[in-house]
C-alpha cells in the first residue's frame, strides 16, 4: 500500500470539532427519541479503533454513550451461550453503546489463536447473522466498522509504543503475535466478511493508514447513516445569586489540601 499523506492538522481539527458538535446533536436525538444505537469497532491491532472511540465520546454524556471493552471471559461465561455476555451490555432506550471489540472476537483472535473449537467457530458464523438480524428487527441501529491498516504501518505503531512509557501498556504478547500471524488474521477476516456482511448489518471498512482521516471518515459516515435532527431545548438562564446570610467558611487549617505541586515547577 502506498504511503497515505497525513491530513493536515489545520484541516483535521476544525472538521473534527464540527463533527463532534453533530455527535452531541445525535446524542440528544437518541435520548429524546428513545433510540438504541450500537456501534461495533473491529480491525487489526493498532489500527486506530481506540483513538477513534475516544474522539467519538469526548464530549458525550457517559450516561448516554457507553464504551464496552470486555476482558477475557470467566470460567462461568465460557459455559454460557456465546452471545450472552454481550447481550447484557446492549442499550436501553436513549442509549448509545460502542463496542471496543465485540462478539467478533470469536471470528478473529479466538479462531486464529485456537481459543475456540472448530465447532464453536462454525456455530458462530451460523448464529451471528441471525443474532444481528434480531437486533435490527427489534429496532436497534447497528453499525459495524472494520479498521484496516497495512502490515508496515501496524509494525511502525507497535514500535512507537515500545518507546513510549505512556502507551507501552497497549502492547501485549497477543498483539506481537499478530505480526507473525498476519496472513492467518487476513484469512479469518475475509471468511468473517463472507458470512456476516449482511444487508441488514453491513460491514463498513475504514482505511486507517492515517488516523486523522480514519477518525473523520468514520464519524462522518456514522452521522450520515442515522436520521437524527437537532432537538430544541428550553433556554437556560442563570439565576441571581441570593444575598449572603452570614455564612462563614471554616478555617483552612481544619481541612487537608492537595500540595501546590505547580509552584515547584521551573519558570
Amino acid at each position: 500500500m502506498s504511503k497515505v499523506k497525513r491530513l493536515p492538522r489545520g484541516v483535521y481539527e476544525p472538521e473534527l470539532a464540527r463533527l463532534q458538535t453533530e455527535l452531541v446533536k445525535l446524542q440528544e436525538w437518541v435520548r429524546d427519541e428513545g433510540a438504541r444505537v450500537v456501534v461495533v469497532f473491529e480491525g487489526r491491532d493498532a489500527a486506530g479503533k481506540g483513538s477513534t472511540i475516544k474522539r467519538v465520546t469526548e464530549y458525550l454524556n457517559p450516561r448516554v454513550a457507553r464504551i464496552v471493552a470486555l476482558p477475557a471471559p470467566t470460567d462461568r461465561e465460557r459455559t454460557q451461550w456465546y452471545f450472552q455476555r454481550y447481550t447484557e451490555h446492549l442499550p436501553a432506550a436513549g442509549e448509545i453503546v460502542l463496542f471496543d471489540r465485540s462478539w467478533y472476537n470469536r471470528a478473529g483472535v479466538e479462531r486464529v489463536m485456537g481459543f475456540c473449537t472448530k465447532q464453536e467457530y462454525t456455530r458462530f458464523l451460523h448464529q451471528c447473522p441471525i443474532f444481528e438480524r434480531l437486533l435490527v428487527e427489534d429496532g436497534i441501529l447497528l453499525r459495524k466498522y472494520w479498521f484496516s491498516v497495512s502490515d508496515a504501518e501496524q509494525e511502525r505503531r507497535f514500535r512507537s509504543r515500545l518507546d513510549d512509557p505512556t502507551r507501552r501498556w497497549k502492547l501485549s504478547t497477543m498483539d506481537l503475535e499478530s505480526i507473525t500471524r498476519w496472513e492467518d488474521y487476513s484469512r479469518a477476516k475475509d471468511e468473517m466478511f463472507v458470512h456476516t456482511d449482511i444487508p441488514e448489518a453491513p460491514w463498513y471498512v475504514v482505511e486507517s493508514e492515517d488516523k486523522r482521516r480514519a477518525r473523520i471518515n468514520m464519524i462522518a459516515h456514522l452521522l450520515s447513516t442515522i436520521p437524527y435532527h437537532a432537538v430544541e431545548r428550553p433556554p437556560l438562564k442563570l439565576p441571581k445569586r441570593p444575598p449572603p446570610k452570614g455564612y462563614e467558611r471554616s478555617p483552612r487549617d481544619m481541612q487537608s489540601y492537595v500540595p501546590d505541586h505547580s509552584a515547584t515547577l521551573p519558570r
Side-chain angles (χ1 to χ4, degrees):
M1 183 180 295
S2 59
K3 182 70 174 178
V4 175
K5 186 177 180 181
R6 196 176 193 191
L7 187 66
R9 188 176 295 276
V11 176
Y12 165 72
E13 291 184 345
E15 180 60 9
L16 177 63
R18 186 189 72 82
L19 291 172
Q20 288 176 323
T21 301
E22 291 300 314
L23 284 169
V24 173
K25 293 179 184 177
L26 170 65
Q27 167 192 267
E28 294 304 289
W29 176 83
V30 166
R31 187 160 58 174
D32 191 67
E33 291 289 323
R36 293 171 292 164
V37 178
V38 171
V39 187
V40 168
F41 292 78
E42 290 288 344
R44 299 280 189 177
D45 295 319
K49 300 180 296 297
S51 64
T52 302
I53 292 171
K54 182 177 179 180
R55 270 64 177 191
V56 169
T57 59
E58 189 170 5
Y59 297 107
L60 301 185
N61 184 341
R63 293 182 178 87
V64 176
R66 294 185 286 112
I67 301 171
V68 176
L70 299 184
T74 64
D75 289 342
R76 179 177 181 274
E77 287 172 333
R78 289 189 181 95
T79 68
Q80 296 175 340
W81 176 49
Y82 177 72
F83 294 94
Q84 188 170 338
R85 68 192 297 250
Y86 296 99
T87 57
E88 64 179 282
H89 296 283
L90 292 173
E95 292 181 346
I96 303 169
V97 173
L98 299 96
F99 280 95
D100 186 355
R101 294 203 180 279
S102 64
W103 45 87
Y104 283 101
N105 275 339
R106 174 135 296 175
V109 64
E110 290 190 19
R111 166 64 169 167
V112 173
M113 301 302 296
F115 296 156
C116 66
T117 66
K118 185 174 181 180
Q119 182 183 30
E120 289 171 332
Y121 172 70
T122 302
R123 185 184 304 126
F124 170 84
L125 293 181
H126 168 69
Q127 291 185 349
C128 184
I130 299 172
F131 173 67
E132 291 181 352
R133 287 188 181 103
L134 290 174
L135 298 183
V136 174
E137 182 180 302
D138 202 60
I140 288 178
L141 300 173
L142 174 61
R143 303 294 182 268
K144 305 187 305 193
Y145 292 97
W146 176 270
F147 284 70
S148 178
V149 68
S150 68
D151 52 353
E153 178 62 17
Q154 183 193 56
E155 185 171 345
R156 188 195 68 77
R157 293 176 187 178
F158 280 163
R159 291 189 185 280
S160 70
R161 291 178 181 182
L162 281 172
D163 300 328
D164 186 344
T166 64
R167 297 190 300 150
R168 182 75 179 269
W169 63 269
K170 290 187 174 184
L171 273 181
S172 67
T173 54
M174 201 74 66
D175 294 327
L176 300 181
E177 185 104 20
S178 67
I179 295 177
T180 59
R181 294 177 179 265
W182 180 269
E183 289 192 4
D184 293 335
Y185 275 103
S186 295
R187 293 188 183 95
K189 175 255 183 181
D190 290 344
E191 186 169 3
M192 178 185 82
F193 268 43
V194 167
H195 291 271
T196 63
D197 187 17
I198 58 177
E200 297 87 346
W203 277 106
Y204 297 105
V205 178
V206 181
E207 292 289 356
S208 191
E209 287 294 281
D210 174 15
K211 288 186 179 182
R212 291 177 185 171
R213 294 179 189 273
R215 296 163 190 161
I216 291 292
N217 293 340
M218 180 268 152
I219 297 172
H221 181 270
L222 174 65
L223 291 168
S224 74
T225 67
I226 299 178
Y228 73 98
H229 55 78
V231 176
E232 293 294 329
R233 295 293 182 196
L236 299 177
K237 184 178 180 180
L238 289 177
K240 290 184 178 180
R241 193 176 297 277
K245 298 180 180 179
Y247 168 77
E248 293 185 10
R249 183 175 179 174
S250 57
R252 293 176 65 88
D253 58 8
M254 293 181 62
Q255 299 170 350
S256 298
Y257 284 83
V258 173
D260 188 5
H261 173 71
S262 64
T264 69
L265 301 177
R267 298 296 194 272

